[in-house]
Amino acid sequence: MKGMTEEAPEEIKERVKELREELRKHEYQYYVRDNPLISDAEYDSLLQELKELEEEYPALKDPNSPTVRVGGEPRDEFTKVEHSQEMLSLGNAFSPEDLRAFADRIKRRLGKDEEFNYVVEHKIDGLALILRYQAGELVLGATRGDGRTGEDVTANVRTIPAVPLKLKREVDIEIRGEAFMPREKFISLNERRLSRGEEPFANPRNAAAGSIRQLDPGIAARRPLSFLAYDVIQALEYSCSSHLEALKLLAELGFKVNWHEQAGDIETVIALCQDWVKRQQELEHDIDGMVVKVNQLDLRPLLGATSKSPRWAVAFKFPAQQKTTRVKDIKISLGRTGVLTPTAELEPVEVDGSTVSRATLHNEDEINRKDVRIGDKVLIQKAGDIIPEVVKVIKEERTGQEKKFEFPESCPACGEPVFRDPEEAVYRCLNSTCPAVVRESILHFVSRDAMNIEGVGPALIDRLLEQDLIENQADLFFLEESDLIQLERMAEKSARNVLEAIEESKSRPLARVIFALGIRHVGLRTARLLTDKFGSLARIREAGREELEEIAEIGPVIAESIVNYFATPRNNRLLARLKEAEVTMESKSRQQSLTLEGYKFVLTGQLENFTRQEAAAEIEKRGGRVTASVSSQTDYLVRGESPGSKLQQARQEGTKILTEEDFLQLLTKED
Ligand code: IVH
């Protein structure tokens, strides 16, 4: 091997550069333009030549060389990346009326004099990717994750041939698009998997997502993924005034751009959407709908976003896949808000690539309206990620054996009477100690988007509740190894893992903790807005309706729900226990700045408000240090009742002496 120490000769450098340019040109022609200029064999031989030169002269290696398409070193986990701009999701429209309502909302906000039009695109059923380029070179590929933070999947993204590693201009830019697996490629991949005795992927989307989240880029490289770009972040900065111009810019930079068409009004949008419902099979990849976006970029900030999605765009979802099956039974399940939801248990059927054995019946009125009975043959549907539902009963097939379902008058979990909420048409169990409500609340608390306590799932929670080891969320933090070990099927090692996971969750960001509390109507996004404005649970608790409603996205219903939550003694007891467990109660950015950084303290005598340990902890939290004896290095001596000889020493050293009151003032100074 040369090159590690030795510089490559000029002519080699030239050849490598030439090969890379040549290969890039052909990649672009093949994968982006669908217009190959040379045969695969010719391409392979150029690539082989480049590979050999890079092997021989490792100093010439480049992370964005066409040779990286084959994948790099496997890794242990993905690092998290914070997105430069939050990636929201899209609101849904299911009918022409929904699309008209979307247009009306926009017109109302902008006023009737504002002129605008739309761009209609395919909604690709894949995995959203965010790509960052610096001076035209790909430096980051990330997944959407929770919208704020995603995972750094750059090594895998580099293996997708339709993702340019080097743009046609040396710009700094961030773009978004969708990685997906073309349908044909998906079918043959599954055939290969089956023939090797491996589990097939449920659908092209799962296959794409699974490939992007592969820890071994070598495997990702062998998965036939493609990429279509649909968005430029901060497009205004690249002198694009419309989305159409942004899409044109993407094409000029070398991206394969998602299908799109401009539409002057909502009726044209509707016609395009309906046209593609029929034509979707023409495409080489799956689309699950259309995305409609306001074209004028300067109008987007004016329209803003709701709690979940921008008001300037909407997803028109294609009609759901439907199948028939039989209702075996109707069961009631309880949610954490005490709502009783009837669910149909079905004979399992395959819909949209997954097996469905349950469908929601929503509420009593829905059961009556559709007249669903146990034993009925029913038409069910599933649209995307939506919970499967019963569309209608096939009454022609009734035998007379079907049984009507009686909605229970008491809670199936606690036996207390249930109440019908006239506004929501639902029955609710109002018993806050109802075991089902408690269980669901705890499950929500530990769930992924909330405290994300790994290893603590339904099975363990059920056992802990059965054995009276916990009564609520906070009790989890006071579990001991001996509590867990006595449980069936719990070895010492798993007990320790569980305790570690619980311990680790204490430092989750405040927004997660707020979301985990399960306050009605407070989702993760609202929790984040509350965190940003108030910074601590204590401040949120003090806030009245008015102050809460100062947050644009919080209206009277959410505000009231928050106020009610904090007015309930049971909730306050829970919060006190969580605080005692040292679960995050303040946002990290507002937590104590290190106001005592660099200062040395000595404590003497009895303090009124703290034990010695507590006082030391307060000092250390702020970056200060506590030592046992006074020296010339000591900055402060804190004196309590009946101080010891340290007071004398401090006087001799000329150390500053603080009473407890001075000390308290020092602590609260810049909090
Ligand atoms: S725009 C603020 N355009 O749909 C929304 N998204 O629900 C930014 N998707 O996670 C997204 N095709 O994965 C946009 N042409 C398209 C899309 C598209 C598919 C996906 C994307 C995103 C989800 C939004």
Side-chain angles (χ1 to χ4, degrees):
M1 190 166 41
K2 306 170 199 168
M4 272 311 248
T5 49
E6 191 184 312
E7 269 239 11
E10 258 339 285
E11 71 219 62
I12 299 286
K13 283 195 198 160
E14 267 310 303
R15 180 65 186 151
V16 164
K17 194 163 161 247
E18 204 174 274
L19 281 167
R20 284 179 184 159
E21 277 165 17
E22 190 71 8
L23 284 159
R24 264 183 203 124
K25 180 174 96 193
H26 292 302
E27 266 181 355
Y28 176 70
Q29 285 298 331
Y30 187 98
Y31 291 104
V32 178
R33 305 299 302 270
D34 285 326
N35 178 31
L37 302 177
I38 55 172
S39 71
D40 288 4
E42 282 167 299
Y43 180 86
D44 286 344
S45 105
L46 292 174
L47 188 66
Q48 190 55 33
E49 184 184 345
L50 177 59
K51 252 193 231 163
E52 281 166 17
L53 289 177
E54 286 181 357
E55 288 290 309
E56 199 169 342
Y57 299 96
L60 294 180
K61 284 203 172 155
D62 177 329
N64 283 333
S65 166
T67 52
V68 306
R69 301 290 195 194
V70 296
E73 287 294 300
R75 48 207 67 216
D76 296 328
E77 58 178 5
F78 297 116
T79 34
K80 297 250 184 285
V81 275
E82 194 126 335
H83 299 318
S84 62
Q85 201 181 67
E86 185 171 9
M87 188 161 181
L88 298 173
S89 55
L90 293 170
N92 290 330
F94 296 97
S95 63
E97 290 75 65
D98 289 353
L99 286 171
R100 289 188 193 108
F102 163 70
D104 289 343
R105 281 197 300 274
I106 293 174
K107 285 188 194 142
R108 232 179 298 129
R109 289 214 161 234
L110 294 178
K112 60 177 184 317
D113 295 333
E114 195 71 66
E115 304 239 339
F116 67 95
N117 51 35
Y118 305 95
V119 174
V120 182
E121 299 172 8
H122 287 155
K123 185 166 191 305
I124 307 150
D125 198 11
L127 182 77
L129 287 182
I130 294 140
L131 307 181
R132 189 180 296 161
Y133 291 83
Q134 269 163 15
E137 298 256 357
L138 179 70
V139 292
L140 177 76
T143 60
R144 174 174 181 271
D146 64 4
R148 283 212 179 179
T149 40
E151 284 175 324
D152 179 343
V153 289
T154 315
N156 293 342
V157 168
R158 286 202 166 104
T159 70
I160 305 175
V163 169
L165 300 176
K166 208 174 152 105
L167 300 178
K168 293 190 185 292
R169 285 192 228 149
E170 292 183 355
V171 281
D172 290 348
I173 199 167
E174 218 172 290
I175 71 111
R176 288 172 186 162
E178 199 90 351
F180 62 93
M181 193 175 288
R183 207 176 309 112
E184 288 290 317
K185 301 262 163 68
F186 163 75
I187 294 169
S188 39
L189 171 69
N190 261 357
E191 279 166 2
R192 282 200 304 279
R193 288 177 73 86
L194 279 169
S195 70
R196 288 196 300 257
E198 291 167 5
E199 189 78 15
F201 288 109
N203 50 44
R205 176 165 40 123
N206 286 359
S211 307
I212 290 290
R213 301 199 64 259
Q214 258 294 329
L215 289 166
D216 180 354
I219 297 180
R222 292 196 291 279
R223 301 273 173 80
L225 293 178
S226 192
F227 180 79
L228 284 166
Y230 55 64
D231 202 13
V232 175
I233 296 179
Q234 302 291 351
L236 286 167
E237 284 173 20
Y238 303 91
S239 58
C240 300
S241 64
S242 68
H243 183 55
L244 218 52
E245 283 168 35
L247 295 175
K248 196 162 140 248
L249 171 66
L250 285 170
E252 283 165 11
L253 292 175
F255 289 98
K256 196 168 181 168
V257 178
N258 190 14
W259 178 93
H260 58 275
E261 197 160 309
Q262 199 174 348
D265 55 39
I266 202 69
E267 294 309 317
T268 315
V269 167
I270 293 170
L272 280 169
C273 289
Q274 289 177 331
D275 188 36
W276 277 104
V277 173
K278 288 179 247 135
R279 291 176 58 193
Q280 51 177 306
Q281 291 302 324
E282 283 173 25
L283 296 167
E284 52 143 20
H285 56 271
D286 283 351
I287 58 176
D288 58 346
M290 305 293 281
V291 181
V292 185
K293 301 175 180 172
V294 168
N295 189 23
Q296 284 66 24
L297 297 180
D298 57 339
L299 297 182
R300 291 186 179 179
L302 295 180
L303 290 165
T306 65
S307 60
K308 293 191 200 84
S309 38
R311 290 201 191 84
W312 46 263
V314 75
F316 173 77
K317 291 296 198 75
F318 288 158
Q321 245 209 356
Q322 301 185 331
K323 282 279 173 72
T324 58
T325 183
R326 201 170 292 282
V327 177
K328 291 196 297 189
D329 202 354
I330 296 177
K331 291 257 168 73
I332 295 286
S333 61
L334 254 84
R336 64 190 157 85
T337 56
V339 171
L340 277 67
T341 305
T343 307
E345 307 219 318
L346 307 167
E347 275 168 14
V349 271
E350 206 39 36
V351 194
D352 248 344
S354 64
T355 306
V356 173
S357 50
R358 265 195 204 101
T360 176
L361 293 168
H362 300 292
N363 54 46
E364 186 182 35
D365 291 355
E366 278 287 295
I367 300 187
N368 292 339
R369 198 171 60 76
K370 293 177 181 158
D371 188 18
V372 183
R373 302 178 192 178
I374 298 165
D376 266 338
K377 184 98 172 259
V378 288
L379 187 68
I380 60 157
Q381 74 174 16
K382 197 182 124 209
D385 302 330
I386 298 167
I387 308 166
E389 59 179 2
V390 171
V391 183
K392 63 167 192 179
V393 173
I394 304 174
K395 296 201 173 127
E396 297 75 22
E397 303 229 358
R398 277 202 175 145
T399 61
Q401 300 291 303
E402 294 77 14
K403 276 207 305 276
K404 275 207 166 185
F405 175 73
E406 292 293 334
F407 217 88
E409 284 167 14
S410 56
C411 171
C414 69
E416 296 279 313
V418 292
F419 296 92
R420 197 176 145 122
D421 183 330
E423 261 166 51
E424 293 179 294
V426 296
Y427 283 95
R428 224 180 260 281
C429 169
L430 296 182
N431 173 9
S432 58
T433 58
C434 167
V437 172
V438 168
R439 173 180 188 268
E440 293 302 318
S441 309
I442 301 177
L443 284 176
H444 169 75
F445 186 80
V446 301
S447 68
R448 214 181 120 202
D449 285 345
M451 299 298 276
N452 190 17
I453 309 186
E454 242 171 88
V456 182
L460 179 59
I461 301 268
D462 285 341
R463 280 188 282 161
L464 291 171
L465 285 167
E466 273 161 30
Q467 309 266 321
D468 291 329
L469 287 167
I470 60 169
E471 269 178 24
N472 60 32
Q473 296 83 321
D475 293 340
L476 288 169
F477 297 102
F478 296 90
L479 285 171
E480 290 183 7
E481 200 172 315
S482 56
D483 297 329
L484 292 173
I485 283 174
Q486 57 161 6
L487 297 173
E488 232 178 285
R489 296 192 301 272
M490 178 68 79
E492 221 168 282
K493 178 144 189 296
S494 22
R496 237 173 287 135
N497 287 342
V498 164
L499 290 179
E500 249 169 52
I502 293 174
E503 184 63 31
E504 187 231 7
S505 77
K506 289 181 180 175
S507 58
R508 292 278 177 263
L510 181 63
R512 297 269 207 130
V513 177
I514 296 172
F515 173 63
L517 295 176
I519 305 170
R520 251 177 99 188
H521 307 302
V522 177
L524 197 47
R525 188 177 160 81
T526 307
R528 280 175 181 150
L529 296 171
L530 287 167
T531 303
D532 291 346
K533 182 167 167 73
F534 296 105
S536 73
L537 265 173
R539 282 281 299 113
I540 299 172
R541 178 197 283 144
E542 286 162 15
R545 283 186 177 77
E546 250 164 58
E547 208 181 339
L548 290 165
E549 284 185 45
E550 277 169 17
I551 299 179
E553 290 167 30
I554 294 189
V557 177
I558 305 182
E560 170 154 321
S561 163
I562 297 169
V563 170
N564 282 347
Y565 182 89
F566 289 107
T568 309
R570 188 180 144 83
N571 294 334
N572 283 313
R573 283 198 298 275
L574 177 75
L575 289 172
R577 279 275 278 175
L578 289 173
K579 184 168 183 192
E580 189 188 337
E582 292 180 339
V583 170
T584 307
M585 296 277 134
E586 267 177 55
S587 114
K588 292 253 163 41
S589 56
R590 306 241 188 147
Q591 262 170 28
Q592 273 92 35
S593 41
L594 298 176
T595 47
L596 300 182
E597 175 96 277
Y599 290 100
K600 291 209 177 85
F601 285 77
V602 172
L603 305 170
T604 183
Q606 195 107 56
L607 295 170
E608 214 176 293
N609 294 292
F610 308 87
T611 65
R612 189 73 71 90
Q613 278 96 335
E614 283 165 355
E618 291 299 326
I619 292 167
E620 278 155 12
K621 229 170 33 190
R622 291 165 177 77
R625 275 188 54 200
V626 179
T627 53
S629 54
V630 178
S631 75
S632 60
Q633 306 285 313
T634 311
D635 297 294
Y636 295 109
L637 177 92
V638 182
R639 58 162 293 186
E641 273 296 311
S642 36
S645 62
K646 290 176 191 168
L647 180 61
Q648 202 52 42
Q649 287 160 5
R651 285 198 176 121
Q652 272 164 17
E653 290 285 355
T655 309
K656 221 175 181 156
I657 296 164
L658 303 177
T659 61
E660 182 161 355
E661 200 170 301
D662 299 336
F663 178 53
L664 275 168
Q665 254 172 24
L666 192 66
L667 291 183
T668 49
K669 206 171 56 184
E670 280 173 56
D671 275 358

